[in-house]
Amino acid sequence: MKSINTILIANRGEIASRVIRTCKKMGITSVAVYADADKNAPFVRQADLAVHIGASEPSQSYLDQDKIIAAAKRTGADAIHPGYGFLSENADFARLCKAEGIIFIGPNPEAIAAMGSKSKAKAMMKRAGVPVVPGYDGEDQSEATLKTEALKIGFPVLLKATAGGGGKGMRIVHEEKEITTAIASAKREAKNAFGDDELLIEKYIASGRHIEFQIFGDQHKHVIHLLERECSIQRRYQKVIEESPSPIMTEALRKSMGDAAVLAAQAMDYDNAGTVEFIYDDTSGAFYFLEINTRLQVEHPVTEAITGLDMVQMQIQSAQGTPLQITQEEVVGNGYAIEARLYAEDAANNYAPVTGKIHNYQFPDVDGLRVESAIESGSEISIFYDPMIAKIIVKDSNRINAHTKLLYVLQQFICQGIVTNLPFLKTLLQHEDFQKGNYNTHFVQEKIDLSQINKISDQQIQEVAIVATLYDWNKREQSRKTLRSLPSGWRNNCYQYQKEVFHIGEQVVQLQYQYVEDGFVFLFEDKERKVAMIGIDETTLCIDIDGLQKTYAVAKVGEDYFVHSPTIGNVKITQEDRFPIKEKEKVSGGYESPIPSQVVKINIQSGDAIKEGDPLIVLSSMKMENVLVANQDGKVEEIYVAEGQNVEAGFLLLKINEE
Ligand code: ADP
């Protein structure tokens, strides 16, 4: 048994912070590695040592195996924790660590390799007696065979990339006539994402729940499970909310699924932390193996909350050869835990990732709340990485209490500067079916009306406009006082009615206000509101509107005010007279970047003749690739960008002469 003294964390953001915390607890020196974009990130400061490893693109930093090994050597790290994503499920990297005499904190490379292919993993599980989804996972990839096999399974079927992950390369096929196109597009996406276009076919479980079991093994052939997590609340096949225990779990089902999870792990001599994912068929009550993730999961805090275990500590112990310190019987779930993932994305705009600066970022102090965060006030969200910015975990004695508490936390949470999925999360939590535990993996798509999630009432819009007006009024008042050294106290001033016009999203608010004896009167189209100023400083404003006193968090940046209140959420409001006149000329035949992105590949050259549907430029933003295709036949007149260039939303990329 070798004792680990220094751990290099080959990752970034919240998971790097998470690992560093356990290192400190165990008296182990922690080393962060960071790319350009992360220079000011909290995890870099939190580590005992930090090494800059290169440019922001993951391929030049977090995915560069040689740079990471060199950083480990330089800092005397005797172990590497890969976190999740990046190199965490790369068997070659695990082997390289071993060859370099560095402990890889994760399972043995053979186990990682065995799970690298979904079809090989399924075959292995079938042999071990673990139930798998009926389907085809053979080597013959001809269209004819794939078609025949799909017919044999019976529609609907699901096509999956065998090398897949993150929902890429998956296609649901409902009937025979869709299959040819679906095979072609799934293969194309798989080839692009994983460099491998092999597919497998599965029976599509129409009403399925994603239930996974946390497993843990040591190097002495002991394997246990640490209970389940239900992760059916997904968007684009990716989890947004995870909870444990699962609302549908019974002792008998937990026993049979838990046994199957342990059997799956034993079949591959598993050591360290892993997750066995199952799909549970709501209609029949059967469950099937989906895959094993051979790493720590994003949602591991849910398991930590109910078991009281520190899974990173267990990982470190397992990697240095310590036998498991706990038996299956000793694993006891206590209470209930839920995790919500906060993303920098606009759910109402098809979950488009969002970049920008967060000016003010504050969580309330609530018992049982754990926040795993990548950022802090002042952080920039860049285009280079995954848009997840925090995980919000709440634990309580039962499901209802924990849901109430999580909703309270989300309401109190101040996050000013960029759009996040916060309104989406609040909507999810308040949905009756979710509260009843009555959901499957289609819940988000079928039950959440995205067009409604950002809506605020007219009354709330007025409230926000009042806050912005008074915040600005106070600012002017302050500067006037310092300039003219008038006696302090705004009560001495007298005003005529002032007019203001604000914009919130698409909506326009017009108001008039006047200072009166003991406060202000605001006139809106339909009503008058009496406002008293209670207190104000740089970031908060406490006012009484029509007899109800509330505190608002305010940040002003340029013409924009960011206003937060627990009942309204985080809102951006813009004052009209300072409203930028963005009369951007639309170039005919011009193609613009839809979101802030990096130009990954340019498929065309100036002068090329192109056909409608031709892929022109591949853009990448926050791990997602976006292919810009020609919407008409024509000729490329000019290209304004180069590969590798970063562009803002709306940036003109190229111009086509349409024929
Ligand atoms: P990935 O590795 O890309 O995440 P998974 O195999 O883990 O792919 O599946 C991701 C999600 O897709 C699951 O959580 C589930 O919602 C859905 N899914 C996977 N297989 C099936 C299936 N056979 N039937 C219905 N839904 C499925």
Side-chain angles (χ1 to χ4, degrees), residues 118 133 158 160 164-168 170 202-206 210 231 234 237 239 277 279 290-291 293 441:
K118 283 193 198 292
V133 190
L158 185 64
K160 282 187 186 178
K168 279 197 182 140
M170 295 216 302
E202 282 182 356
K203 175 84 203 145
Y204 181 69
I205 312 292
H210 176 119
C231 316
Q234 308 177 346
Y237 302 112
K239 304 159 187 168
E277 297 187 338
I279 184 143
L290 278 181
E291 64 173 342
N293 290 317
T441 55

PDB file of all heavy atoms in Angstrom, residues 118 133 158 160 164-168 170 202-206 210 231 234 237 239 277 279 290-291 293 441, ligand 1:
ATOM      1  N   LYS A 118     -20.173   1.020 -25.848  1.00  0.00           N
ATOM      2  CA  LYS A 118     -21.480   0.612 -25.316  1.00  0.00           C
ATOM      3  C   LYS A 118     -21.825  -0.813 -25.736  1.00  0.00           C
ATOM      4  O   LYS A 118     -22.433  -1.559 -24.980  1.00  0.00           O
ATOM      5  CB  LYS A 118     -22.571   1.555 -25.812  1.00  0.00           C
ATOM      6  CG  LYS A 118     -22.619   2.900 -25.097  1.00  0.00           C
ATOM      7  CD  LYS A 118     -23.914   3.621 -25.437  1.00  0.00           C
ATOM      8  CE  LYS A 118     -23.874   5.106 -25.152  1.00  0.00           C
ATOM      9  NZ  LYS A 118     -23.810   5.489 -23.760  1.00  0.00           N
ATOM     10  N   VAL A 133     -31.077  -3.909 -22.235  1.00  0.00           N
ATOM     11  CA  VAL A 133     -32.208  -3.572 -23.113  1.00  0.00           C
ATOM     12  C   VAL A 133     -32.122  -4.464 -24.352  1.00  0.00           C
ATOM     13  O   VAL A 133     -31.055  -4.576 -24.957  1.00  0.00           O
ATOM     14  CB  VAL A 133     -32.158  -2.099 -23.572  1.00  0.00           C
ATOM     15  CG1 VAL A 133     -33.456  -1.715 -24.274  1.00  0.00           C
ATOM     16  CG2 VAL A 133     -31.887  -1.169 -22.414  1.00  0.00           C
ATOM     17  N   LEU A 158     -34.205   2.805 -30.523  1.00  0.00           N
ATOM     18  CA  LEU A 158     -33.279   3.908 -30.262  1.00  0.00           C
ATOM     19  C   LEU A 158     -31.925   3.546 -30.866  1.00  0.00           C
ATOM     20  O   LEU A 158     -31.392   2.468 -30.599  1.00  0.00           O
ATOM     21  CB  LEU A 158     -33.143   4.099 -28.744  1.00  0.00           C
ATOM     22  CG  LEU A 158     -32.319   5.272 -28.252  1.00  0.00           C
ATOM     23  CD1 LEU A 158     -32.943   6.601 -28.665  1.00  0.00           C
ATOM     24  CD2 LEU A 158     -32.186   5.236 -26.724  1.00  0.00           C
ATOM     25  N   LYS A 160     -27.986   4.265 -31.021  1.00  0.00           N
ATOM     26  CA  LYS A 160     -26.985   4.896 -30.144  1.00  0.00           C
ATOM     27  C   LYS A 160     -25.600   4.707 -30.739  1.00  0.00           C
ATOM     28  O   LYS A 160     -25.320   3.663 -31.325  1.00  0.00           O
ATOM     29  CB  LYS A 160     -26.954   4.192 -28.779  1.00  0.00           C
ATOM     30  CG  LYS A 160     -28.045   4.548 -27.833  1.00  0.00           C
ATOM     31  CD  LYS A 160     -27.763   3.891 -26.488  1.00  0.00           C
ATOM     32  CE  LYS A 160     -28.924   4.095 -25.545  1.00  0.00           C
ATOM     33  NZ  LYS A 160     -28.685   3.426 -24.253  1.00  0.00           N
ATOM     34  N   GLY A 164     -20.512   6.426 -27.770  1.00  0.00           N
ATOM     35  CA  GLY A 164     -21.216   7.647 -27.374  1.00  0.00           C
ATOM     36  C   GLY A 164     -21.162   8.041 -25.925  1.00  0.00           C
ATOM     37  O   GLY A 164     -20.675   7.315 -25.061  1.00  0.00           O
ATOM     38  N   GLY A 165     -21.691   9.199 -25.689  1.00  0.00           N
ATOM     39  CA  GLY A 165     -21.798   9.781 -24.351  1.00  0.00           C
ATOM     40  C   GLY A 165     -22.491  11.109 -24.509  1.00  0.00           C
ATOM     41  O   GLY A 165     -22.511  11.684 -25.608  1.00  0.00           O
ATOM     42  N   GLY A 166     -23.072  11.575 -23.417  1.00  0.00           N
ATOM     43  CA  GLY A 166     -23.712  12.892 -23.436  1.00  0.00           C
ATOM     44  C   GLY A 166     -24.872  12.991 -24.404  1.00  0.00           C
ATOM     45  O   GLY A 166     -25.227  14.076 -24.837  1.00  0.00           O
ATOM     46  N   GLY A 167     -25.461  11.851 -24.735  1.00  0.00           N
ATOM     47  CA  GLY A 167     -26.646  11.874 -25.599  1.00  0.00           C
ATOM     48  C   GLY A 167     -26.346  12.113 -27.076  1.00  0.00           C
ATOM     49  O   GLY A 167     -27.264  12.177 -27.889  1.00  0.00           O
ATOM     50  N   LYS A 168     -25.058  12.224 -27.427  1.00  0.00           N
ATOM     51  CA  LYS A 168     -24.739  12.491 -28.838  1.00  0.00           C
ATOM     52  C   LYS A 168     -24.869  11.227 -29.679  1.00  0.00           C
ATOM     53  O   LYS A 168     -24.534  10.137 -29.242  1.00  0.00           O
ATOM     54  CB  LYS A 168     -23.314  13.028 -28.961  1.00  0.00           C
ATOM     55  CG  LYS A 168     -23.246  14.489 -28.662  1.00  0.00           C
ATOM     56  CD  LYS A 168     -21.949  15.109 -29.166  1.00  0.00           C
ATOM     57  CE  LYS A 168     -21.913  16.566 -28.805  1.00  0.00           C
ATOM     58  NZ  LYS A 168     -20.610  17.014 -28.379  1.00  0.00           N
ATOM     59  N   MET A 170     -27.631   9.880 -30.646  1.00  0.00           N
ATOM     60  CA  MET A 170     -28.827   9.095 -30.329  1.00  0.00           C
ATOM     61  C   MET A 170     -29.996   9.563 -31.184  1.00  0.00           C
ATOM     62  O   MET A 170     -30.196  10.762 -31.376  1.00  0.00           O
ATOM     63  CB  MET A 170     -29.192   9.235 -28.851  1.00  0.00           C
ATOM     64  CG  MET A 170     -28.155   8.648 -27.949  1.00  0.00           C
ATOM     65  SD  MET A 170     -28.795   7.839 -26.469  1.00  0.00           S
ATOM     66  CE  MET A 170     -29.688   9.095 -25.704  1.00  0.00           C
ATOM     67  N   GLU A 202     -31.425  -0.277 -29.794  1.00  0.00           N
ATOM     68  CA  GLU A 202     -32.126  -0.787 -28.613  1.00  0.00           C
ATOM     69  C   GLU A 202     -33.621  -0.590 -28.765  1.00  0.00           C
ATOM     70  O   GLU A 202     -34.070   0.341 -29.432  1.00  0.00           O
ATOM     71  CB  GLU A 202     -31.670  -0.008 -27.360  1.00  0.00           C
ATOM     72  CG  GLU A 202     -30.331  -0.446 -26.851  1.00  0.00           C
ATOM     73  CD  GLU A 202     -29.904   0.287 -25.588  1.00  0.00           C
ATOM     74  OE1 GLU A 202     -30.623   1.201 -25.134  1.00  0.00           O
ATOM     75  OE2 GLU A 202     -28.840  -0.060 -25.069  1.00  0.00           O
ATOM     76  N   LYS A 203     -34.347  -1.462 -28.109  1.00  0.00           N
ATOM     77  CA  LYS A 203     -35.777  -1.243 -27.961  1.00  0.00           C
ATOM     78  C   LYS A 203     -35.928   0.098 -27.234  1.00  0.00           C
ATOM     79  O   LYS A 203     -35.243   0.364 -26.258  1.00  0.00           O
ATOM     80  CB  LYS A 203     -36.344  -2.379 -27.098  1.00  0.00           C
ATOM     81  CG  LYS A 203     -37.797  -2.237 -26.746  1.00  0.00           C
ATOM     82  CD  LYS A 203     -38.674  -2.767 -27.862  1.00  0.00           C
ATOM     83  CE  LYS A 203     -40.062  -2.161 -27.807  1.00  0.00           C
ATOM     84  NZ  LYS A 203     -40.669  -1.937 -29.125  1.00  0.00           N
ATOM     85  N   TYR A 204     -36.808   0.951 -27.734  1.00  0.00           N
ATOM     86  CA  TYR A 204     -36.989   2.234 -27.071  1.00  0.00           C
ATOM     87  C   TYR A 204     -38.023   2.077 -25.967  1.00  0.00           C
ATOM     88  O   TYR A 204     -39.161   1.667 -26.214  1.00  0.00           O
ATOM     89  CB  TYR A 204     -37.432   3.294 -28.085  1.00  0.00           C
ATOM     90  CG  TYR A 204     -37.600   4.640 -27.441  1.00  0.00           C
ATOM     91  CD1 TYR A 204     -36.489   5.334 -26.974  1.00  0.00           C
ATOM     92  CD2 TYR A 204     -38.851   5.214 -27.274  1.00  0.00           C
ATOM     93  CE1 TYR A 204     -36.619   6.559 -26.359  1.00  0.00           C
ATOM     94  CE2 TYR A 204     -38.992   6.444 -26.663  1.00  0.00           C
ATOM     95  CZ  TYR A 204     -37.869   7.112 -26.203  1.00  0.00           C
ATOM     96  OH  TYR A 204     -38.005   8.322 -25.588  1.00  0.00           O
ATOM     97  N   ILE A 205     -37.605   2.375 -24.752  1.00  0.00           N
ATOM     98  CA  ILE A 205     -38.524   2.263 -23.611  1.00  0.00           C
ATOM     99  C   ILE A 205     -39.337   3.562 -23.573  1.00  0.00           C
ATOM    100  O   ILE A 205     -38.814   4.617 -23.222  1.00  0.00           O
ATOM    101  CB  ILE A 205     -37.750   2.096 -22.285  1.00  0.00           C
ATOM    102  CG1 ILE A 205     -36.660   1.017 -22.393  1.00  0.00           C
ATOM    103  CG2 ILE A 205     -38.700   1.831 -21.116  1.00  0.00           C
ATOM    104  CD1 ILE A 205     -37.140  -0.394 -22.548  1.00  0.00           C
ATOM    105  N   ALA A 206     -40.613   3.458 -23.929  1.00  0.00           N
ATOM    106  CA  ALA A 206     -41.417   4.671 -24.139  1.00  0.00           C
ATOM    107  C   ALA A 206     -41.601   5.467 -22.844  1.00  0.00           C
ATOM    108  O   ALA A 206     -41.551   6.682 -22.841  1.00  0.00           O
ATOM    109  CB  ALA A 206     -42.761   4.307 -24.737  1.00  0.00           C
ATOM    110  N   HIS A 210     -34.693   7.028 -15.477  1.00  0.00           N
ATOM    111  CA  HIS A 210     -33.257   6.813 -15.348  1.00  0.00           C
ATOM    112  C   HIS A 210     -32.940   6.664 -13.869  1.00  0.00           C
ATOM    113  O   HIS A 210     -33.023   7.630 -13.117  1.00  0.00           O
ATOM    114  CB  HIS A 210     -32.500   7.995 -15.970  1.00  0.00           C
ATOM    115  CG  HIS A 210     -31.015   7.906 -15.806  1.00  0.00           C
ATOM    116  ND1 HIS A 210     -30.159   7.840 -16.876  1.00  0.00           N
ATOM    117  CD2 HIS A 210     -30.235   7.864 -14.693  1.00  0.00           C
ATOM    118  CE1 HIS A 210     -28.911   7.767 -16.423  1.00  0.00           C
ATOM    119  NE2 HIS A 210     -28.936   7.795 -15.105  1.00  0.00           N
ATOM    120  N   CYS A 231     -32.442  10.110 -11.879  1.00  0.00           N
ATOM    121  CA  CYS A 231     -31.980  11.223 -12.725  1.00  0.00           C
ATOM    122  C   CYS A 231     -32.831  11.318 -13.989  1.00  0.00           C
ATOM    123  O   CYS A 231     -32.321  11.532 -15.091  1.00  0.00           O
ATOM    124  CB  CYS A 231     -30.529  11.028 -13.120  1.00  0.00           C
ATOM    125  SG  CYS A 231     -29.446  10.505 -11.791  1.00  0.00           S
ATOM    126  N   GLN A 234     -34.360  15.301 -17.319  1.00  0.00           N
ATOM    127  CA  GLN A 234     -33.260  15.577 -18.247  1.00  0.00           C
ATOM    128  C   GLN A 234     -33.732  16.527 -19.331  1.00  0.00           C
ATOM    129  O   GLN A 234     -34.899  16.578 -19.670  1.00  0.00           O
ATOM    130  CB  GLN A 234     -32.815  14.281 -18.934  1.00  0.00           C
ATOM    131  CG  GLN A 234     -32.508  13.146 -17.978  1.00  0.00           C
ATOM    132  CD  GLN A 234     -32.140  11.854 -18.694  1.00  0.00           C
ATOM    133  OE1 GLN A 234     -32.359  11.712 -19.894  1.00  0.00           O
ATOM    134  NE2 GLN A 234     -31.575  10.917 -17.957  1.00  0.00           N
ATOM    135  N   TYR A 237     -31.241  14.672 -23.186  1.00  0.00           N
ATOM    136  CA  TYR A 237     -30.635  13.453 -22.619  1.00  0.00           C
ATOM    137  C   TYR A 237     -29.603  13.776 -21.552  1.00  0.00           C
ATOM    138  O   TYR A 237     -28.772  12.949 -21.221  1.00  0.00           O
ATOM    139  CB  TYR A 237     -29.977  12.583 -23.699  1.00  0.00           C
ATOM    140  CG  TYR A 237     -30.903  12.132 -24.788  1.00  0.00           C
ATOM    141  CD1 TYR A 237     -30.768  12.604 -26.083  1.00  0.00           C
ATOM    142  CD2 TYR A 237     -31.919  11.214 -24.518  1.00  0.00           C
ATOM    143  CE1 TYR A 237     -31.623  12.191 -27.094  1.00  0.00           C
ATOM    144  CE2 TYR A 237     -32.775  10.792 -25.514  1.00  0.00           C
ATOM    145  CZ  TYR A 237     -32.625  11.288 -26.805  1.00  0.00           C
ATOM    146  OH  TYR A 237     -33.472  10.873 -27.794  1.00  0.00           O
ATOM    147  N   LYS A 239     -28.841  15.270 -17.576  1.00  0.00           N
ATOM    148  CA  LYS A 239     -29.529  15.446 -16.296  1.00  0.00           C
ATOM    149  C   LYS A 239     -29.555  16.907 -15.831  1.00  0.00           C
ATOM    150  O   LYS A 239     -28.582  17.617 -16.021  1.00  0.00           O
ATOM    151  CB  LYS A 239     -28.801  14.610 -15.238  1.00  0.00           C
ATOM    152  CG  LYS A 239     -28.700  13.137 -15.622  1.00  0.00           C
ATOM    153  CD  LYS A 239     -27.585  12.422 -14.883  1.00  0.00           C
ATOM    154  CE  LYS A 239     -27.427  11.006 -15.422  1.00  0.00           C
ATOM    155  NZ  LYS A 239     -26.197  10.343 -14.950  1.00  0.00           N
ATOM    156  N   GLU A 277     -25.784   2.686 -14.570  1.00  0.00           N
ATOM    157  CA  GLU A 277     -27.028   3.340 -14.966  1.00  0.00           C
ATOM    158  C   GLU A 277     -28.019   2.315 -15.502  1.00  0.00           C
ATOM    159  O   GLU A 277     -27.663   1.460 -16.307  1.00  0.00           O
ATOM    160  CB  GLU A 277     -26.755   4.385 -16.049  1.00  0.00           C
ATOM    161  CG  GLU A 277     -25.866   5.518 -15.571  1.00  0.00           C
ATOM    162  CD  GLU A 277     -25.739   6.655 -16.592  1.00  0.00           C
ATOM    163  OE1 GLU A 277     -25.971   6.420 -17.797  1.00  0.00           O
ATOM    164  OE2 GLU A 277     -25.415   7.770 -16.172  1.00  0.00           O
ATOM    165  N   ILE A 279     -32.183   1.801 -17.032  1.00  0.00           N
ATOM    166  CA  ILE A 279     -33.448   2.416 -17.405  1.00  0.00           C
ATOM    167  C   ILE A 279     -34.547   1.503 -16.867  1.00  0.00           C
ATOM    168  O   ILE A 279     -34.503   0.288 -17.032  1.00  0.00           O
ATOM    169  CB  ILE A 279     -33.557   2.686 -18.921  1.00  0.00           C
ATOM    170  CG1 ILE A 279     -34.856   3.416 -19.229  1.00  0.00           C
ATOM    171  CG2 ILE A 279     -33.430   1.424 -19.759  1.00  0.00           C
ATOM    172  CD1 ILE A 279     -34.738   4.437 -20.316  1.00  0.00           C
ATOM    173  N   LEU A 290     -27.892   0.257 -18.674  1.00  0.00           N
ATOM    174  CA  LEU A 290     -27.577   1.189 -19.766  1.00  0.00           C
ATOM    175  C   LEU A 290     -26.072   1.295 -19.968  1.00  0.00           C
ATOM    176  O   LEU A 290     -25.550   1.061 -21.038  1.00  0.00           O
ATOM    177  CB  LEU A 290     -28.111   2.596 -19.457  1.00  0.00           C
ATOM    178  CG  LEU A 290     -29.566   2.911 -19.732  1.00  0.00           C
ATOM    179  CD1 LEU A 290     -29.852   4.368 -19.377  1.00  0.00           C
ATOM    180  CD2 LEU A 290     -29.913   2.667 -21.192  1.00  0.00           C
ATOM    181  N   GLU A 291     -25.373   1.688 -18.914  1.00  0.00           N
ATOM    182  CA  GLU A 291     -23.915   1.796 -19.017  1.00  0.00           C
ATOM    183  C   GLU A 291     -23.310   1.974 -17.632  1.00  0.00           C
ATOM    184  O   GLU A 291     -24.026   2.223 -16.657  1.00  0.00           O
ATOM    185  CB  GLU A 291     -23.526   2.978 -19.904  1.00  0.00           C
ATOM    186  CG  GLU A 291     -23.938   4.329 -19.345  1.00  0.00           C
ATOM    187  CD  GLU A 291     -23.387   5.499 -20.158  1.00  0.00           C
ATOM    188  OE1 GLU A 291     -22.437   5.304 -20.937  1.00  0.00           O
ATOM    189  OE2 GLU A 291     -23.890   6.614 -19.975  1.00  0.00           O
ATOM    190  N   ASN A 293     -20.533   4.364 -15.796  1.00  0.00           N
ATOM    191  CA  ASN A 293     -19.633   5.504 -15.881  1.00  0.00           C
ATOM    192  C   ASN A 293     -18.483   5.249 -14.914  1.00  0.00           C
ATOM    193  O   ASN A 293     -18.693   5.106 -13.713  1.00  0.00           O
ATOM    194  CB  ASN A 293     -20.350   6.802 -15.524  1.00  0.00           C
ATOM    195  CG  ASN A 293     -21.346   7.174 -16.603  1.00  0.00           C
ATOM    196  OD1 ASN A 293     -21.047   7.069 -17.791  1.00  0.00           O
ATOM    197  ND2 ASN A 293     -22.532   7.582 -16.205  1.00  0.00           N
ATOM    198  N   THR A 441     -38.437  10.116 -18.224  1.00  0.00           N
ATOM    199  CA  THR A 441     -37.358  10.897 -18.858  1.00  0.00           C
ATOM    200  C   THR A 441     -37.885  11.936 -19.851  1.00  0.00           C
ATOM    201  O   THR A 441     -37.139  12.788 -20.298  1.00  0.00           O
ATOM    202  CB  THR A 441     -36.363   9.982 -19.596  1.00  0.00           C
ATOM    203  OG1 THR A 441     -37.088   9.173 -20.517  1.00  0.00           O
ATOM    204  CG2 THR A 441     -35.602   9.098 -18.631  1.00  0.00           C
TER     205      THR A 441
HETATM  206  P1  ADP B   1     -25.140   8.626 -22.974  1.00  0.00           P
HETATM  207  O1  ADP B   1     -23.936   7.771 -22.704  1.00  0.00           O
HETATM  208  O2  ADP B   1     -25.057   9.338 -24.288  1.00  0.00           O
HETATM  209  O3  ADP B   1     -25.505   9.497 -21.836  1.00  0.00           O
HETATM  210  P2  ADP B   1     -27.108   6.618 -22.174  1.00  0.00           P
HETATM  211  O4  ADP B   1     -27.127   5.270 -22.743  1.00  0.00           O
HETATM  212  O5  ADP B   1     -26.578   6.771 -20.807  1.00  0.00           O
HETATM  213  O6  ADP B   1     -26.348   7.596 -23.196  1.00  0.00           O
HETATM  214  O7  ADP B   1     -28.576   7.230 -22.216  1.00  0.00           O
HETATM  215  C1  ADP B   1     -28.845   8.581 -21.919  1.00  0.00           C
HETATM  216  C2  ADP B   1     -30.346   8.754 -21.672  1.00  0.00           C
HETATM  217  O8  ADP B   1     -31.094   8.336 -22.818  1.00  0.00           O
HETATM  218  C3  ADP B   1     -30.908   7.921 -20.539  1.00  0.00           C
HETATM  219  O9  ADP B   1     -30.776   8.573 -19.316  1.00  0.00           O
HETATM  220  C4  ADP B   1     -32.362   7.770 -20.953  1.00  0.00           C
HETATM  221  O10 ADP B   1     -33.069   8.955 -20.652  1.00  0.00           O
HETATM  222  C5  ADP B   1     -32.295   7.667 -22.457  1.00  0.00           C
HETATM  223  N1  ADP B   1     -32.255   6.268 -22.941  1.00  0.00           N
HETATM  224  C6  ADP B   1     -31.158   5.502 -23.131  1.00  0.00           C
HETATM  225  N2  ADP B   1     -31.485   4.281 -23.599  1.00  0.00           N
HETATM  226  C7  ADP B   1     -32.816   4.258 -23.725  1.00  0.00           C
HETATM  227  C8  ADP B   1     -33.771   3.284 -24.195  1.00  0.00           C
HETATM  228  N3  ADP B   1     -33.401   2.090 -24.629  1.00  0.00           N
HETATM  229  N4  ADP B   1     -35.071   3.631 -24.192  1.00  0.00           N
HETATM  230  C9  ADP B   1     -35.481   4.855 -23.776  1.00  0.00           C
HETATM  231  N5  ADP B   1     -34.642   5.813 -23.335  1.00  0.00           N
HETATM  232  C10 ADP B   1     -33.323   5.527 -23.310  1.00  0.00           C
END
